[in-house]
Amino acid sequence: MFFKDLKGQDQAVSALKNYIRQRHLSGGYIFSGPDGVGKKMAALACAQKLNCLESSFDEPCGKCSSCLKINNLAHPDLHIINNGDDEIKIDDVRLLQRQISFRPYEGAMQVFIIDNAHRLNSDSSNALLKVLEEPPKHNLIILITSKPRLLFNTISSRCKVIRFYVLPRQKLELILKNDYACDAQTAHFLAFYAEGSLGEALKLSAGQIMQKKNDLLDNFVFSSKPGQGFARISAKEDARFYLNLFAATMRDVYLVKAGLGADQMINADRAPEISKIAQRLTFNRIEGICSGISESIGYLESNINIRLLLNNLGAQLWQT
Ligand SMILES: [Zn+2]
């Protein structure tokens, strides 16, 4: 992990580098910002830099045994709590309390990363508070969260906050083209659809999003027999994924009808076909389909017949 790989987070990176240079990076920090913008990568870069065995300016070397161990999440002085969407319980924090009472095992500093820190409950927050009030030397505690408002005030007030932001769309598009070898059409689509999150864009790209969304367009949105095109979708998660893509497409249809240019379309690569649909449908019908999509996403939670749901939505595209 290198600080230079954190794209578009100049403010956070320069604050962290300053703290490291002044040897002030210790105690409690909150890395706050949307998912997929590099918070965890930044936390690991800090852990590497603080424990790196090579003296290099600003960046960890990435090659020494300490950097390599942290890269593999196998360094004895790196402790990560990640319970996903489950609560972080008091036992998790008690373990941290025990570990933090020891000196670093082989590095210069112990680094504790608490991912999804907004999942700390009141008991575990209180236990953590005790540590944050008087953190032993040679320790860094990083709380990572996309929902900082859910953290207890007592916790937030004892930590320094480093903010991470989504990237402006044009900037994300450029990064995807220049640093990740995305072709222009893919970079354009991802920059819109991932809403400024580089991590989300890369995840979508790895999941063959372009192929899937064009499959949806060809076999459902542009097909006069949309019910047949997606007869195979039966899993809730698939249906949710395609309904979200469908919603993005209908947004394009609406905006084209309202006179916006192709460069503002999510599916700019399919602009001519989307314009044709925009000509055929009235604003009322487009709005009806959009609310049908939102309702359908809501219905997915109940035991609804997904095929029927998609058939009904598809039929509205061609009703006269
Ligand atoms: Zn190193």
Side-chain angles (χ1 to χ4, degrees):
M1 313 289 161
F2 296 103
F3 290 112
K4 65 178 163 58
D5 291 335
L6 285 157
K7 305 292 179 189
Q9 306 299 338
D10 302 351
Q11 212 179 318
V13 166
S14 106
L16 290 170
K17 282 182 174 175
N18 270 335
Y19 285 130
I20 291 171
R21 248 178 254 141
Q22 294 162 10
R23 300 183 190 282
H24 281 164
L25 196 66
S26 66
Y29 285 76
I30 293 171
F31 286 10
S32 153
D35 288 328
V37 295
K39 301 185 296 297
K40 192 160 180 195
M41 199 195 258
L44 291 171
C46 289
Q48 279 188 322
K49 180 62 195 155
L50 293 170
N51 288 298
C52 182
L53 304 173
E54 300 291 325
S55 58
S56 56
F57 188 70
D58 270 357
E59 291 281 0
C61 77
K63 292 177 194 154
C64 71
S65 63
S66 171
C67 281
L68 292 176
K69 280 182 196 171
I70 290 170
N71 229 6
N72 296 327
L73 308 182
H75 195 292
D77 295 316
L78 174 69
H79 308 277
I80 299 176
I81 298 176
N82 184 351
N83 290 4
D85 284 331
D86 293 338
E87 264 187 353
I88 300 170
K89 300 219 169 89
I90 189 150
D91 285 346
D92 298 311
V93 178
R94 283 200 179 123
L95 181 63
L96 179 153
Q97 280 175 319
R98 256 200 310 281
Q99 288 160 330
I100 212 167
S101 66
F102 299 120
R103 292 185 63 79
Y105 184 74
E106 64 171 57
M109 273 185 102
Q110 288 199 101
V111 177
F112 297 85
I113 298 173
I114 305 181
D115 210 350
N116 287 325
H118 50 272
R119 301 299 296 160
L120 285 157
N121 62 25
S122 60
D123 289 343
S124 53
S125 290
N126 279 333
L128 183 64
L129 192 57
K130 292 198 185 99
V131 181
L132 290 170
E133 275 169 347
E134 282 179 57
K137 271 187 185 169
H138 310 296
N139 287 287
L140 170 67
I141 303 166
I142 298 173
L143 282 71
I144 294 181
T145 182
S146 57
K147 300 183 177 78
R149 288 200 187 121
L150 297 184
L151 285 172
F152 284 63
N153 279 341
T154 44
I155 296 276
S156 312
S157 61
R158 277 170 182 79
C159 295
K160 293 191 188 82
V161 179
I162 305 281
R163 290 183 208 287
F164 293 73
Y165 299 96
V166 289
L167 299 170
R169 187 172 52 75
Q170 283 91 343
K171 190 162 190 173
L172 178 53
E173 194 171 328
L174 266 182
I175 290 170
L176 288 166
K177 276 197 271 198
N178 297 342
D179 298 338
Y180 294 91
C182 277
D183 61 76
Q185 290 183 339
T186 306
H188 176 93
F189 179 84
L190 288 175
F192 263 104
Y193 202 66
E195 296 179 338
S197 162
L198 175 59
E200 181 62 20
L202 295 176
K203 211 180 345 166
L204 288 167
S205 170
Q208 307 294 321
I209 186 82
M210 289 303 273
Q211 197 184 323
K212 286 177 183 167
K213 76 103 183 163
N214 280 323
D215 195 21
L216 174 87
L217 293 179
D218 290 327
N219 295 309
F220 189 80
V221 183
F222 303 153
S223 160
S224 57
K225 290 179 181 155
Q228 290 175 9
F230 271 74
R232 64 183 183 280
I233 294 180
S234 55
K236 262 186 207 174
E237 274 321 298
D238 279 353
R240 188 187 319 274
F241 173 80
Y242 282 108
L243 282 170
N244 280 320
L245 279 173
F246 187 22
T249 307
M250 292 313 294
R251 168 207 171 271
D252 280 351
V253 172
Y254 192 97
L255 293 180
V256 168
K257 195 161 186 74
L260 242 73
D263 60 325
Q264 291 305 310
M265 290 167 70
I266 300 177
N267 295 285
D269 54 324
R270 307 300 298 269
E273 293 119 307
I274 286 180
S275 299
K276 262 189 213 160
I277 296 191
Q279 282 163 17
R280 191 161 48 75
L281 299 177
T282 62
F283 275 118
N284 265 349
R285 174 64 57 79
I286 299 170
E287 281 164 11
I289 295 173
C290 289
S291 31
I293 297 172
S294 317
E295 279 169 22
S296 302
I297 291 174
Y299 289 149
L300 286 178
E301 289 315 312
S302 50
N303 268 337
I304 192 115
N305 182 329
I306 291 167
R307 201 166 299 170
L308 195 67
L309 196 87
L310 290 168
N311 271 352
N312 287 343
L313 272 177
Q316 290 184 52
L317 283 168
W318 298 92
Q319 255 169 30
T320 48

